[in-house]
Every structure is written in C-alpha cells, then in structure tokens.
Amino acid sequence: MTNEDIKLIKDGKRLDGRKFDELREIKIEVGVLKRAVGSAYIEWGKNKVMAGVYGPRELHPKYLRDPTKAHLRCVYNLAPFSVEDRKRPGPDRRSVEISKVSSDALNSVVMLEKYPNTGIDVFIEILQADAGTRCVGLTAASVALADAGIPMRDMVSSCAVGKVSGEIVLDLMKEEDNLGECDLPLAIIPRKKEVVLLQMDGKLTKDEFKKAYELAVNGAMKVYEMQKEALVSSINNVMIEE
Amino acid sequence: MEKDNAGEFMLYVQDRELVIPGQLIGEKIRHDINCFHEGDSVFSSIHGIARVENDRVRVIPSAGWYVPKEGDVVIGVVTNILPGRWAVDIRSPYLCTLRGEEVTRDPLSVDLSRYFKVGDIISAKISMVDEVHSCQTTGPWKLEKGIIIDVNPKRVPRVVGKKRSMLNIIKEKTGCKIVVGQNGWIWIKDKQTELVIKTIKKVEREAQTHGLTDRITGMLDKTLGK
C-alpha cells in the first residue's frame, strides 16, 4: 500500500501530471441525438457519457401522474463495455442508487409545476467509465435538460474531490479513486452554491472536509462555465451555418 | 413615474443575447415569459434568446414542447373515438378532445366515424384549456390528402412571419396550399411540395438570423427560375 501511495503523487504532481486543483480535460457537445428532445455528449478525461431527455410526455404508469407537477425520472446506466471487466447489463444496486440521487438533484432545479400530469425522462448512458461518472452524468443531464427547453431555476454543475496519499485533490481519475483514501462527489446549483448532491466514500477530518468542499465548489464553478459555453455555442452554430 | 423608474433598473444582458437557465438578466426590471424573479433580481428560466424592449425583458426559447393555448389554431390527428367526442393528438403531452356537438346535434346516438375517422387530419382552434392543460377544440376542418411536416413549435412564429409575411411569400411563389398549426405541424398540399418543405426547414433552422425573408425570396426565385 505504501509503495502505491508514493506512486500516486510525485513532486507535487499527480499521475497524469495535473496539479491538485486541476480538472481533467472536458469537452461538451449539445444536441447529439436526433430523436431526443434534448441531448448532450460529454468527454471528461477518459469518461464518455451521453445524456438524453425525452418529454414532457404522457406518463405511464398512470398512478405516478400528479396534477400539480411533472414527474422527473432519471436513469443511470453503465454500459457493459464501459469498464475493464465486462459489467453485467441491467440495473444493479449501484445504478439504482445513482439514478435516485441524480433524479433528486435534478428535481430541485427543474420547474416541474409547468407541466402537470406529465413525465420527463432523463437517460444517462455511461459509454466509458473512468471515475466520477455520477458527476459527469449529472453535468451532461443538466445540459441536455436545458437543450430540451425545459424551464429550470438553474443548471446543475458537479465535480468530485478526494483524498489521495494524504492530499486533497480535485477530480479523481481511476487509479486515484481505487487506491485513494476518500472520494467525495458534489453537485451544486452555481448561482446560490446550494448543494444538491453530496456523497462521501472514505474518511476525512473536519478540516480536510472543509478544504475538500471549497475545492469541489471551485471545480464545479469551472464546469459551469464550460456548460454555459457549450449551450451558447450550440445556438451560435445554428446561426453561423450556411 | 417613468422617469423615476428609468434610472433604477439594471440590465446584465443585451438584446438578442443568448442566455441559459438561471442566468441573471437584470434587476428591478419587468419580466415576461420564461423569466422568474427572486427579490429584485430577474433570471432566465430557459435556454434561449433574451429580448429587451425598454424596461421589459423576455426570453424566447430555442426548443421545447407545445403547450396548448386558447385561441391557437392547431393541426391534429384523430387518435380515438370516445363516447360523444374524439380524442385528437396535437403533439403535446396533454389530452385534447373535439366535442361531437361541433358537427352533429346528437353525438351520443350517431356513429361519429361518419364525420372523422381515426387517422384523419384536422385543423381546429383551441377553445378551452384547463388547469392541467387538457384542452377542447372547436371549428374542425378536415384536411384531405396532403402531408404533415414537423417543425420545432417554438419556431412556428418565424415560419409564419410578421403579419403572415413569410407564409404569404412561400404560398404566392409556389402556389402551394399550406396550413400552419401553432403546435408545430404544418400541412402541405398540391404544387411544389418538396420545395416548400425545403424552404420551411430552412426557415426553421435559421430562425434567429437577420434578413431571412430576403434570402428565402431569393432562394425561391432562383429555384423556380424567375
């Protein structure tokens, strides 16, 4: 274990040469799925994630219909080929949990009362996984919701932070996630910096947690800028065409 | 009164600037569709283009589903025959019905499929929308033959144009019969169908650009060889 610890951080730099507070490279594309109302594709380091939004549409089963608001469902799915060892397809304990926390996070920003008696379906498909997929999925899902023209109070921006070899570092990659001491995914509403998702796997002291939280919020704000840029350029591209 | 207010409001976006959900648009400013306020601050609730007129701001969405509105003329497809009425699909997530009284005095005892069968295309006006956006239509008109095309419902105002200018240009130049539904379905029949589809799709794609009318006129003239 100690040997691996030394490898993770060398001369104040991480395995892939990043600083402690540096994000991986992020690329966001908007409107990639033709048949979806809104969609987004995001490449975040080695993560490749596709998100699609369908609806508002007629909701089935009927008993879920609520005459005061829409019902938002989020489905997180890890593709069988997305990880090194083949993942058994279908929902499992982990996917169901992430689906639940993601839909809770999105529920807090979407103005559901505008579409009574309907359902909004959000699908997050992980095509290639490399740690922090729930943050990537949530980021993509919020861009897809905006692209679908669904009214929201704000975007959701998300970023993970963790503890590796005793250092608090931003945006863990796979090796750091597997061998590190702690992983803390965080999603915020950028305007008010309200937390909509926070989970922690591992242990942190109170001071470490405060530092980690600050770092994650700063990371999420950087992600927010990229989301904004992607959405704005999606309309601009349409205008420039031809 | 106006002078007092004029100096007070603050704007953080320009006219025709692109905004995303949750973006701050201004302070102490009057706001219209697709905006919301918290305290004095006004935010956009949707991804689209901000339009500023004097001290009023609104956001035009770039995409979205059709939500029925009273007085809209829509194009629908009859999907079901219910007791005394028809269910009509108007490309929105909500139930839309057409009352049998619109065409006959005693809708419960006659066979309604005499008038409209399942699968028939009709144009009708929305006469009533309730709290959960279910709606009733009036004044049905059967559209025989022809085809329906699909455009983004939020771009329909551009396809129609100011005082129907764009639509009239397309109609006059091609001699085609067109009925535009506010729900994003457009019914086309007769001459130059393919050209009309191409033109309407172009209008939809470039809805936000300047000088579109001139370009459309030019394109139609060129293709028709005038």
Side-chain angles (χ1 to χ4, degrees):
Chain A
M1 193 66 194
T2 42
N3 280 337
E4 282 160 347
D5 280 353
I6 296 162
K7 274 185 200 166
L8 284 175
I9 289 178
K10 243 182 197 173
D11 311 328
K13 287 222 170 150
R14 294 201 257 165
L15 270 184
D16 52 358
R18 278 186 292 157
K19 289 177 211 143
F20 294 158
D21 61 345
E22 205 175 328
L23 286 165
R24 286 175 283 186
E25 204 172 308
I26 301 175
K27 200 179 94 189
I28 305 176
E29 273 174 52
V30 183
V32 284
L33 301 173
K34 207 178 167 191
R35 300 298 300 266
V37 183
S39 58
Y41 172 71
I42 175 164
E43 279 183 21
W44 184 321
K46 284 178 196 160
N47 285 311
K48 289 180 183 171
V49 176
M50 188 90 87
V53 173
Y54 295 82
R57 61 182 176 185
E58 227 171 273
L59 179 62
H60 294 288
K62 253 185 163 176
Y63 66 84
L64 285 174
R65 286 187 194 175
D66 186 342
T68 62
K69 62 183 174 65
H71 182 85
L72 190 142
R73 284 182 293 199
C74 186
V75 178
Y76 169 100
N77 186 33
L78 202 63
F81 50 81
S82 63
V83 277
E84 275 172 10
D85 295 324
R86 178 179 183 272
K87 190 236 164 208
R88 222 178 101 96
D92 55 357
R93 190 191 57 76
R94 183 175 170 277
S95 324
V96 171
E97 178 207 314
I98 298 177
S99 303
K100 203 237 165 230
V101 291
S102 311
S103 48
D104 284 355
L106 295 174
N107 262 308
S108 59
V109 291
V110 177
M111 292 178 167
L112 296 169
E113 65 279 3
K114 299 250 179 188
Y115 297 101
N117 271 340
T118 57
I120 301 169
D121 287 313
V122 182
F123 296 101
I124 300 170
E125 207 71 27
I126 313 292
L127 306 175
Q128 189 171 303
D130 190 74
T133 49
R134 73 193 69 190
C135 295
V136 183
L138 207 48
T139 306
S142 101
V143 174
L145 276 169
D147 181 41
I150 291 170
M152 301 200 280
R153 282 181 194 88
D154 205 352
M155 304 289 290
V156 173
S157 304
S158 178
C159 188
V161 69
K163 188 180 167 191
V164 176
S165 311
E167 295 280 355
I168 305 293
V169 294
L170 186 70
D171 192 18
L172 304 181
M173 54 195 277
K174 197 179 175 193
E175 289 80 2
E176 292 168 335
D177 192 29
N178 291 347
L179 305 170
E181 290 111 83
C182 182
D183 177 25
L184 188 143
L186 174 86
I188 58 163
I189 300 174
R191 179 153 56 82
K192 292 184 187 165
K193 305 210 169 47
E194 278 175 10
V195 177
V196 289
L197 178 145
L198 193 148
Q199 296 181 301
M200 188 161 83
D201 180 16
K203 281 177 186 164
L204 287 178
T205 64
K206 201 174 171 183
D207 289 336
E208 279 172 342
F209 179 81
K210 276 182 185 164
K211 195 181 164 191
Y213 179 80
E214 286 289 314
L215 203 58
V217 168
N218 287 339
M221 290 310 289
K222 281 181 203 161
V223 173
Y224 175 64
E225 291 303 321
M226 286 178 226
Q227 286 175 311
K228 196 171 168 178
E229 201 188 307
L231 279 172
V232 167
S233 63
S234 78
I235 295 191
N236 269 336
N237 286 346
V238 172
M239 290 167 83
I240 290 163
E241 255 177 41
E242 187 122 352
Chain B
M1 185 68 190
E2 276 181 28
K3 273 184 183 175
D4 289 338
N5 286 338
E8 273 184 35
F9 68 83
M10 290 279 287
L11 257 181
Y12 297 104
V13 293
Q14 287 163 350
D15 193 26
R16 286 179 180 271
E17 191 174 323
L18 305 161
V19 291
I20 65 166
Q23 188 172 336
L24 184 63
I25 293 179
E27 271 166 23
K28 290 182 183 172
I29 189 166
R30 293 164 77 189
H31 55 282
D32 207 336
I33 48 165
N34 298 320
C35 300
F36 67 102
H37 69 277
E38 274 171 22
D40 283 338
S41 311
V42 174
F43 304 94
S44 163
S45 70
I46 217 160
H47 177 221
I49 290 172
R51 294 306 303 272
V52 183
E53 284 154 13
N54 300 328
D55 63 337
R56 183 183 282 271
V57 68
R58 65 196 166 114
V59 180
I60 299 169
S62 60
W65 223 238
Y66 175 68
V67 175
K69 209 173 97 207
E70 228 170 278
D72 276 0
V73 173
V74 295
I75 290 181
V77 178
V78 177
T79 53
N80 200 2
I81 297 176
L82 308 167
R85 60 201 178 128
W86 292 272
V88 186
D89 178 12
I90 54 162
R91 204 196 182 207
S92 90
Y94 307 103
L95 179 72
C96 178
T97 54
L98 174 67
R99 273 152 45 92
E101 278 90 348
E102 295 287 342
V103 288
T104 173
R105 201 174 276 179
D106 190 5
L108 286 169
S109 56
V110 297
D111 180 18
L112 285 181
S113 61
R114 266 176 58 196
Y115 303 98
F116 299 120
K117 289 191 206 60
V118 171
D120 278 355
I121 302 169
I122 59 166
S123 83
K125 197 177 205 176
I126 292 177
S127 58
M128 193 203 78
V129 184
D130 68 9
E131 299 87 339
V132 291
H133 300 318
S134 298
C135 58
Q136 275 187 9
T137 51
T138 179
W141 193 265
K142 196 172 185 175
L143 301 170
E144 303 209 44
K145 296 180 183 171
I147 55 163
I148 291 185
I149 64 162
D150 205 36
V151 298
N152 181 344
K154 308 290 176 192
R155 305 268 166 86
V156 166
R158 198 70 180 89
V159 174
V160 176
K162 254 181 201 166
K163 291 182 185 164
R164 306 177 70 81
S165 57
M166 184 72 83
L167 195 58
N168 285 340
I169 288 173
I170 301 175
K171 272 184 182 172
E172 274 167 25
K173 301 253 178 212
T174 58
C176 186
K177 281 182 186 165
I178 308 173
V179 178
V180 178
Q182 291 295 318
N183 56 342
W185 273 342
I186 297 173
W187 177 81
I188 301 168
K189 193 189 164 187
D190 282 359
K191 298 167 196 165
Q192 305 280 3
T193 316
E194 272 176 33
L195 178 63
V196 172
I197 295 173
K198 208 177 139 195
T199 318
I200 291 175
K201 285 287 167 192
K202 186 180 162 82
V203 176
E204 186 200 2
R205 207 169 51 239
E206 299 167 25
Q208 272 100 21
T209 49
H210 288 283
L212 185 58
T213 318
D214 297 338
R215 259 180 296 148
I216 292 297
T217 320
M219 181 190 140
L220 287 173
D221 282 346
K222 205 176 154 193
T223 332
L224 295 167
K226 275 180 191 170

